[in-house]
Amino acid sequence: MNSNNNARAKFVSAEEAVRHIPSHSRVVVGHAAGEPSVLLTAMVENYAQYEDVEIVHMVCIGKGLYTAPELRKHFRHNSVFVGKNTQEAIASGRGDFTPVYFYCFPALFSNGQMPVDVALIQVSPPDRFGFCSYGISNDYTQAAAQNARIVIAEINEQMPRTWGDNFIHLTEIDYAVKTNRPLLEVPPLLPSAIEEAIGEHCASLIEDGATLQLGIGGIPNALLKFLNKKKDLGIHSEMIADGVVDLIEDGVVTNKAKTIHPGKSIVTFLMGTKKLYDFAHNNPMIELYPVEYVNDPYIIRQNHKMVSINSCVQVDLMGQVASTTIGYKQISGVGGQVDFVRGAAMGKEGKSIIAMPSTNKGKTSKIVPILDEGAAVTTNRYDVQYIITEYGIADLRGKTLNDRGKALIEIAHPDFRDQLREVWERRYIYKETNKTEGA
Ligand code: COA
């Protein structure tokens, strides 16, 4: 960080800015639509000046060019949430994955476990007092900048100015690069009939006045259309996408019933299209805070009627949820799934939902007797509560393993129920027989 409090950021070209990144350093890069793409591109174009630079990045929705095989001597990717464009690099060993709960990630920068040499960030233009907003992505970016030896910022004319604990002063930036380009976007996908059925089941568990966390993927989007008859919903979510704009404009999300931050939608990042980014610009109803606050289960629990909705890859008959791996292959990261599952469970009248189609594109059942070899458990069987598919809702809380199995088979795809029942009977038939005999 710039040690002279009176000094202003030095405005330079992208090429000049990235020249200050030393070889063998750790560079923590802002993620999702907050990715400072112009700076990453300049690094990749000038790759020859670097040797073994570690690039720590979370959700990569950009091109992820730093993972190209021919750049392996220059860049090494350390991912905390593998994106589509970085999966192959991680799977083939050109990068690695660090498992960490999202709300605990920023502490690694300050406690010496993951010291930051350079923070590469994207922010809004400064206001008249010299404060730039982190815009649509605060999450771990603020902590990275606060703990870095060197802060390099892309100051993008098109980055919205958003509210919350969400500002960095020009005196805290070492090198600044002015740009004027559209932010990266993730357009909402049209939900399938199956996703809509799942969305409808999820909506049936959401009461008026509930506060929602909406995860990543198609299902949260499918749910939104079934919320239009609800009253005074609130948002306390790691992220939100475009659909929430309609809910706010239609008066469904008012945040009036929230027990903390009433009247405000609280998030740590936004990921959608220009529609969402324009809506958030200077909008006092949306506030961004660092992820160590938003995703802290002890903060989440203070929201009464908190409902978390996330998705997964597989669930076994005990209720163990795998969300980030397909067998040995890392396809995403924990994000805030466990943070919110736990926070919702701890709160008054909270509910946590894991919602998924019953099959993977009709090919295999997502409810399985045992998780695939190599799969990592994301939400464990002690934390899990509701599992939802297009066939219904299984409430696993307080149920024995035997009853969990039964409940999960009832919401599995009919084509796979016999196979699942066969395994379940082998495990539990003795107890069933005993129960019948003892009855
Ligand atoms: N077996 C094999 N492949 C599977 C599978 C299974 N049981 N389930 C999913 N897949 C594959 C899909 O075919 C798809 O492959 P493709 O990329 O080649 O098309 C890929 O995994 C992603 O599945 P999809 O259903 O398209 O994903 P989604 O966009 O709905 O997201 C998760 C689902 C689980 C990947 C996503 O919710 C996630 O990463 N969750 C963990 C993090 C989290 O919950 N964060 C919450 C706070 S933001």
Side-chain angles (χ1 to χ4, degrees), residues 81 84 213 215-218 238-239 310-314 323-324 326 331-337 360-361 364 366:
F81 193 113
K84 274 223 162 28
Q213 175 256 336
I216 208 158
E238 172 182 321
M239 57 155 280
N310 293 293
S311 193
C312 73
V313 170
Q314 282 185 331
S323 310
T324 69
I326 299 175
I331 62 154
S332 64
V334 64
Q337 181 169 125
N360 173 38
K361 300 171 184 160
T364 53
K366 286 170 80 99

Side-chain angles (χ1 to χ4, degrees), residues 43-287:
M43 278 183 81
V44 168
E45 281 171 357
N46 294 282
Y47 66 89
Q49 64 190 302
Y50 308 110
E51 201 179 307
D52 193 30
V53 168
E54 178 185 346
I55 297 189
V56 180
H57 199 186
M58 204 166 157
V59 178
C60 173
I61 59 170
K63 294 189 176 132
L65 294 177
Y66 52 82
T67 62
E70 61 277 17
L71 300 181
R72 66 186 315 161
K73 277 202 196 128
H74 307 281
F75 303 122
R76 187 167 35 93
H77 179 33
N78 180 354
S79 170
V80 259
F81 193 113
V82 179
K84 274 223 162 28
N85 293 334
T86 53
Q87 277 175 13
E88 189 276 323
I90 304 294
S92 58
R94 288 198 311 285
D96 209 341
F97 174 76
T98 302
V100 59
Y101 292 127
F102 199 1
Y103 86 103
C104 300
F105 182 35
L108 302 182
F109 306 150
S110 52
N111 69 12
Q113 286 166 326
M114 197 186 264
V116 186
D117 295 307
V118 182
L120 229 55
I121 65 177
Q122 186 194 167
V123 294
S124 77
D127 61 17
R128 64 197 170 100
F129 304 106
F131 288 98
C132 303
S133 164
Y134 284 98
I136 47 126
S137 183
N138 180 307
D139 42 70
Y140 63 93
T141 314
Q142 186 172 21
Q146 284 168 346
N147 288 285
R149 290 194 297 114
I150 303 171
V151 177
I152 303 179
E154 175 184 350
I155 298 187
N156 183 355
E157 200 62 43
Q158 296 186 39
M159 174 61 95
R161 181 179 173 77
T162 56
W163 292 47
D165 173 9
N166 201 30
F167 297 94
I168 180 169
H169 196 261
L170 280 175
T171 55
E172 297 171 304
I173 294 171
D174 295 284
Y175 301 99
V177 178
K178 280 189 188 172
T179 62
N180 186 352
R181 58 149 182 111
L183 300 179
L184 296 173
E185 298 192 2
V186 178
L189 296 173
L190 210 58
S192 66
I194 289 175
E195 286 172 333
E196 290 206 340
I198 297 166
E200 201 167 0
H201 289 309
C202 293
S204 72
L205 293 177
I206 297 169
E207 295 171 28
D208 291 343
T211 293
L212 306 182
Q213 175 256 336
L214 303 163
I216 208 158
I219 290 168
N221 197 37
L223 157 73
L224 298 174
K225 101 174 215 202
F226 298 99
L227 296 178
N228 54 8
K229 297 264 155 36
K230 309 277 178 188
K231 291 194 178 62
D232 291 327
L233 296 181
I235 298 289
H236 183 110
S237 189
E238 172 182 321
M239 57 155 280
I240 51 172
D242 283 21
V244 170
V245 175
D246 300 331
L247 290 182
I248 296 176
E249 286 182 337
D250 295 346
V252 176
V253 166
T254 62
N255 293 304
K256 272 189 196 155
K258 280 179 82 176
T259 40
I260 56 168
H261 300 283
K264 310 277 183 191
S265 292
I266 301 300
V267 294
T268 197
F269 72 99
L270 307 167
M271 190 164 70
T273 68
K274 194 168 182 304
K275 169 178 167 170
L276 174 68
Y277 308 150
D278 285 349
F279 186 75
H281 179 62
N282 264 329
N283 184 341
M285 276 173 62
I286 298 179
E287 291 187 353

